[in-house]
Amino acid sequence: MQLKEFIKQLQKIGEKHGEDAEVIMADNIPVVAPVFSSDYPNKKNVVITDEK
């Protein structure tokens, strides 16, 4: 999924359920930060992680 589409989906959720919702990963770990990564071959990626 492209970052632009991901942000649009988050905005829809915020509009429907309130913008103060907390983001939690599927394994029930609260998200600390999105991090840009170039660790994957030939791709630019944003990784959502609980690591600093």
Side-chain angles (χ1 to χ4, degrees):
M1 174 182 293
Q2 297 294 317
L3 183 59
K4 187 175 184 177
E5 181 61 31
F6 185 73
I7 290 170
K8 283 182 185 179
Q9 289 186 14
L10 287 176
Q11 288 171 330
K12 287 180 186 176
I13 292 169
E15 290 169 3
K16 184 174 181 180
H17 300 285
E19 294 183 2
D20 61 343
E22 181 181 3
V23 176
I24 297 179
M25 295 192 303
D27 57 1
N28 207 27
I29 297 172
V31 172
V32 173
V35 178
F36 181 81
S37 174
S38 57
D39 291 344
Y40 302 92
N42 304 318
K43 300 232 180 191
K44 294 188 276 186
N45 299 278
V46 175
V47 177
I48 299 174
T49 179
D50 63 328
E51 296 179 8
K52 294 183 180 178

